[in-house]
Amino acid sequence: MPEAIPAFPMARAARCPFDPSPQLREVGPISRVRIWDGSTPWLVTDYDVQRAVLADQRFSADSSKPGYPAQTEAILVQREKAKSFISMDDPEHDKQRRMLTRNFTVKRMEEMRPRVQQIVDGLVDDMLAGPQPVDLVTAFALPVPSLVICDLLGVPYSVHDFFQARSTKLVARNTTTDEAIKAGDELKAYLLELVAAKEEQPADDMIGRLVTDQLPAGELTREEIAAMAVLMLSAGHETTANMIALGTLALLRNPAQLAEIRGTDDPKLIANAVEELLRYLNITTGGRRRVATEDIEVAGQFVRAGEGIILANEAGNRAESQFPEPDRLDIHRQARHHIAFGYGVHQCLGQPLARMELQVVYSTLYRRIPTLELAIPFEDVPFKHGNFVYGVHSLPVTW
């Protein structure tokens, strides 16, 4: 019966704010859910089925196709106004993605590591020199990725408050369509001005290289470069900032594992910890969205062309078959096969940057402030239950 179809997204577990909704274990591996517009796309919770769908190009990422299960009307409208390669299928997706790939290679990220270390150490110095308690979100978690992504793109850090306010609007579930359009238009307008400035004065940064290499050849328009920059700024900023704060909170709740990270100089253990925290926390909520372009059988279920499908990565990353005792944080777990960054041709382009930033943060913050602790009861920590990027609004800490 229609009234029996559960609503999606589903609220996180009440017993532990780090855990996904227990309802995700009661449905699936594929079943109907109801989303904001009353439509009933398919929800996939099984790890192997999710990877199979994400690798199958008969499922489209194009949000303009009929039946695509958009997160909200605001996000759908904004994606159509400033369409980027994440909402495209190959060959257009592959063409634009390749233009950015060299900016996110592992080699390039390692070259950036000393600069990221300098940023992290400088922010820790500022916290140690200032009053206590301090909000780790505003003093550390937000500035780290803001400074890094501004360096990478060639955006002046002096306008980071402008970007932060608008990118927050774009990932909040309660943002109205008009608010999303306004935030997106303001970001794009500024970045178009920056593109024009880099035409006049070439620069060796991501936007500058796109302007120099792709614009004259007609491979990208100014609007497409600006759209790419909007995506990089919002995706690269919001996700990493929330992982820093929420990861710190998770480690504070697991003091033995925090002590291991604090006392190690083993980069492999730090890298393991990053992968496990990415798996365990699942800060991207709402699932990855696709629409079938032809009739396909998925996990024994007939999915018709034009039907939407949602891949709940928070369920896949808690799969017992892949991660024994999945609800337990274990920094020694080999968890790199998680799907926090997606899978297939659309997996996150910026994952080498995110991994490197988090490795620097987790290997530095707790070593330099070994007595770091919450300044408020855990029960009073304000979680971002209304956002598509999960985290905490603030995290008062002391030492």
Side-chain angles (χ1 to χ4, degrees):
M1 297 293 292
E3 59 268 20
I5 298 176
F8 187 85
M10 299 159 176
R12 289 209 170 211
R15 64 180 178 83
C16 177
F18 302 123
D19 291 345
S21 170
Q23 278 186 279
L24 292 172
R25 288 184 171 139
E26 299 168 5
V27 298
I30 179 169
S31 59
R32 294 279 191 183
V33 290
R34 191 178 305 280
I35 60 174
W36 62 276
D37 62 355
S39 64
T40 54
W42 296 101
L43 177 71
V44 172
T45 58
D46 181 82
Y47 174 91
D48 291 318
V49 180
Q50 287 185 38
R51 282 167 59 107
V53 171
L54 290 169
D56 191 334
Q57 296 200 36
R58 294 176 296 175
F59 290 98
S60 173
D62 186 346
S63 58
S64 67
K65 288 186 181 296
Y68 181 88
Q71 286 93 333
T72 64
E73 182 184 31
I75 290 177
L76 179 62
V77 171
Q78 183 54 35
R79 281 192 173 186
E80 291 310 301
K81 282 181 64 66
K83 194 164 186 177
S84 66
F85 64 92
I86 65 166
S87 296
M88 299 175 183
D89 297 324
D90 288 343
E92 292 82 2
H93 161 266
D94 182 63
K95 177 186 174 183
Q96 289 202 15
R97 185 183 176 101
R98 285 178 181 274
M99 295 176 189
L100 294 172
T101 300
R102 66 170 174 162
N103 296 283
F104 295 97
T105 63
V106 173
K107 181 177 183 293
R108 170 72 173 147
M109 295 305 100
E110 288 307 307
E111 291 171 351
M112 288 182 63
R113 189 181 287 264
R115 169 58 179 153
V116 175
Q117 185 69 61
Q118 180 186 42
I119 288 170
V120 170
D121 279 327
L123 291 167
V124 173
D125 288 342
D126 292 343
M127 285 197 297
L128 289 172
Q132 299 182 49
V134 62
D135 177 13
L136 192 75
V137 172
T138 56
F140 186 77
L142 285 172
V144 169
S146 293
L147 282 159
V148 173
I149 201 68
C150 285
D151 274 6
L152 182 68
L153 293 177
V155 174
Y157 184 66
S158 58
V159 295
H160 74 279
D161 286 338
F162 168 84
F163 284 117
Q164 183 181 316
R166 283 146 189 83
S167 65
T168 299
K169 282 286 185 185
L170 294 177
V171 299
R173 189 174 285 124
N174 61 358
T175 297
T176 67
T177 301
D178 288 344
E179 288 172 337
I181 290 172
K182 184 173 185 290
D185 286 351
E186 288 173 347
L187 279 174
K188 186 176 179 180
Y190 173 80
L191 289 163
L192 282 171
E193 291 178 5
L194 194 61
V195 167
K198 291 179 188 293
E199 286 185 80
E200 294 293 324
Q201 188 172 350
D204 186 24
D205 49 55
M206 196 190 88
I207 296 176
R209 287 188 289 272
L210 290 172
V211 168
T212 301
D213 299 341
Q214 315 300 336
L215 189 59
E219 293 179 336
L220 287 175
T221 65
R222 293 173 181 83
E223 289 73 17
E224 287 171 333
I225 294 173
M228 285 181 173
V230 169
L231 173 64
M232 295 296 110
L233 278 166
S234 57
H237 171 261
E238 289 290 333
T239 52
T240 305
N242 283 285
M243 269 301 303
I244 291 171
L246 196 62
T248 296
L249 182 58
L251 289 169
L252 288 171
R253 299 292 288 175
N254 290 269
Q257 297 191 58
L258 176 58
E260 282 195 72
I261 291 175
R262 184 190 301 122
T264 190
D265 58 1
D266 180 3
K268 290 183 178 179
L269 179 58
I270 297 296
N272 259 10
V274 168
E275 301 303 328
E276 172 66 351
L277 284 161
L278 286 163
R279 177 203 73 84
Y280 178 72
L281 295 175
N282 290 294
I283 61 163
T284 54
T285 63
R288 287 174 171 80
R289 313 282 174 122
R290 299 289 187 270
V291 59
T293 58
E294 59 183 84
D295 296 346
I296 309 170
E297 184 177 315
V298 178
Q301 176 63 56
F302 190 64
V303 177
R304 295 185 180 277
E307 290 187 332
I309 192 163
I310 300 173
L311 300 313
N313 54 286
E314 63 265 43
N317 279 337
R318 294 295 183 97
E320 180 78 37
S321 62
Q322 298 293 324
F323 310 102
E325 298 183 75
D327 295 335
R328 181 172 64 89
L329 180 67
D330 178 6
I331 62 172
H332 295 280
R333 189 194 306 270
Q334 300 299 309
R336 194 179 172 91
H337 59 296
H338 63 73
I339 48 178
F341 292 119
Y343 187 73
V345 297
H346 278 88
Q347 64 180 296
C348 177
L349 176 66
Q351 59 184 290
L353 174 61
R355 285 185 162 110
M356 183 270 289
E357 285 184 77
L358 293 171
Q359 288 167 13
V360 173
V361 166
Y362 294 150
S363 65
T364 304
L365 177 62
Y366 320 124
R367 172 179 50 81
R368 292 206 52 200
I369 311 181
T371 56
L372 187 76
E373 63 181 6
L374 276 177
I376 60 173
F378 176 72
E379 294 75 18
D380 293 340
V381 174
F383 289 88
K384 293 182 177 179
H385 292 293
N387 284 25
F388 286 106
V389 180
Y390 188 62
V392 293
H393 291 287
S394 62
L395 192 66
V397 293
T398 189
W399 51 87

